[in-house]
Amino acid sequence: RAKATRRGSHVIFESAIRQELENRLTLESELALAVERGEFELFYQPQVRLIDGGLVGAEALIRWRHPVRGYVSPGEFMPVVNTSALSERIANWVMETACRQARAWELSGNNVRVAINLSPSQLQSGDLAHSVAALLDATGLTPSLLEIEVTEDILLHDERRVLAMFKRIQELGVRVLFDDFGTGYASLSYLKKFPLDGLKIDRSFVFGLLANSDDAAIVGSTIGLSKQLGLTVVAEGIEDEATADFLVSMGCEEGQGYFFGRPMPAEAFDRQFLAAGHKAASAA
Ligand code: C2E
Ligand code: MG
Ligand code: MG
Ligand code: MG
């Protein structure tokens, strides 16, 4: 009896794995089709100067406009993309689309810094600094209007190679920020070693800021540390005015969150933030 049960659960386990594999393969082929059909879009979320709410930039965030399911958020498909053969193609599409948009805004007289999220595959293949340089060249975008967000887990890659790569990217004039700071593998010593322009405080610390004194302590000391090191600090996930005010009182310069604006298509961003008379503050 015990044996039968064990064999039974073994079968269930196996079919669960098979199901998962099938799901992944289905998603992968759907994603490949999505690339062909141009179903990906970039949304842009405003980043503001907290002291006066002035627009300084936008984070480009990928969306998949699924023919049946509607907009699918990156959490649902980027993990698969990042471990598939499509990774590089999609990463290049993101980088190119964001640069073109930033250049269009620049040409219309708005210096909106556009931040892109780096994919892990972009560190493995080829020369990222070289493709960034080529893209700046092709679009004519002012380098300081491009920002690259990297999560701390890039430090799991060959450290010397990564350091050299980011140094070259910064020499182009492109800014590099640590994303989701405080949630990953980085130790404080990396802040010294890694050429960095700024930190983004993860929204898991910002969310409970007003209610949780531990979160407040972590955010407060991250802001202090950033300032001491001459880094820009951006708080993400600001959902209400009280949190924004508290961040200002702690000396945080920039922020992003639903309180200021959700990620939205470029045209909506134009209308809401760049309509005549609402020129972006010079971020360059
Ligand atoms: P992230 O880079 O930390 O992006 C911020 C995420 O927080 C976005 O989710 C954004 O919509 C969300 N967010 C912003 N403000 C608020 C707020 O006030 N409250 C709450 N609850 N959430 C807020 P999204 O767009 O679903 O992206 C999730 C993650 O997917 C991103 O985290 C990023 O790691 C990844 N991702 C998004 N677009 C790309 C991309 O083009 N390439 C790569 N490689 N990764 C991407
Ligand atoms: Mg990001
Ligand atoms: Mg982030
Ligand atoms: Mg985050």
Side-chain angles (χ1 to χ4, degrees):
R1 176 121 169 78
K3 223 179 218 163
T5 308
R6 219 176 303 133
R7 201 171 314 126
S9 65
H10 180 70
V11 169
I12 290 169
F13 183 60
E14 225 180 57
S15 79
I17 289 182
R18 193 175 316 118
Q19 186 60 54
E20 207 178 297
L21 224 113
E22 264 168 31
N23 289 346
R24 195 200 142 97
L25 289 177
T26 310
L27 186 56
E28 251 190 75
S29 55
E30 272 193 300
L31 284 164
L33 267 179
V35 173
E36 301 296 326
R37 294 175 177 161
E39 287 171 3
F40 293 106
E41 288 177 25
L42 284 187
F43 274 22
Y44 297 87
Q45 184 178 35
Q47 298 181 326
V48 305
R49 214 173 23 231
L50 288 176
I51 195 85
D52 60 4
L55 183 75
V56 291
E59 178 172 6
L61 295 157
I62 196 168
R63 296 290 180 269
W64 175 14
R65 198 214 288 258
H66 191 282
V68 180
R69 290 157 67 200
Y71 281 114
V72 184
S73 58
E76 284 184 54
F77 63 90
M78 284 310 275
V80 171
V81 166
N82 286 338
T83 52
S84 80
L86 298 167
S87 176
E88 208 179 331
R89 246 180 105 184
I90 293 175
N92 287 336
W93 176 85
V94 168
M95 211 155 69
E96 193 180 325
T97 307
C99 282
R100 290 198 189 290
Q101 184 58 64
R103 178 58 176 162
W105 280 330
E106 185 182 11
L107 284 174
S108 68
N110 298 285
N111 285 339
V112 184
R113 240 174 32 203
V114 173
I116 57 169
N117 293 282
L118 206 69
S119 294
S121 67
Q122 289 173 286
L123 294 170
Q124 281 146 19
S125 64
D127 184 352
L128 181 64
H130 187 265
S131 35
V132 170
L135 201 51
L136 290 172
D137 224 49
T139 58
L141 177 67
T142 298
S144 57
L145 291 176
L146 180 62
E147 214 165 69
I148 292 182
E149 296 187 2
V150 296
T151 50
E152 298 160 85
D153 49 355
I154 57 148
L155 299 169
L156 296 174
H157 290 79
D158 177 3
E159 192 184 309
R160 270 185 36 211
R161 214 175 82 88
V162 169
L163 285 177
M165 193 185 283
F166 283 100
K167 221 163 155 188
R168 270 180 296 143
I169 288 174
Q170 283 181 313
E171 280 163 7
L172 297 170
V174 173
R175 290 157 47 91
V176 178
L177 278 82
F178 258 167
D179 201 358
D180 303 338
F181 186 73
T183 61
Y185 299 89
S187 69
L188 292 179
S189 69
Y190 279 109
L191 295 182
K192 209 170 97 179
K193 255 190 277 178
F194 202 88
L196 212 60
D197 297 285
L199 300 179
K200 296 188 75 177
I201 303 175
D202 190 64
R203 72 168 191 264
S204 61
F205 301 113
V206 174
F207 185 69
L209 205 52
L210 298 173
N212 185 318
S213 60
D214 289 347
D215 285 341
I218 291 168
V219 170
S221 41
T222 306
I223 294 167
L225 185 67
S226 306
K227 292 202 148 179
Q228 297 273 316
L229 295 173
L231 304 174
T232 302
V233 58
V234 185
E236 60 179 32
I238 303 172
E239 294 190 355
D240 53 60
E241 188 166 21
T243 302
D245 290 344
F246 191 39
L247 284 160
V248 169
S249 77
M250 288 196 289
C252 187
E253 293 151 0
E254 294 180 12
Q256 171 182 354
Y258 294 170
F259 176 62
F260 301 105
R262 292 191 175 242
M264 62 189 91
E267 311 77 60
F269 193 94
D270 273 339
R271 258 181 280 116
Q272 280 189 46
F273 295 96
L274 302 176
H278 288 270
K279 294 264 146 112
S282 178

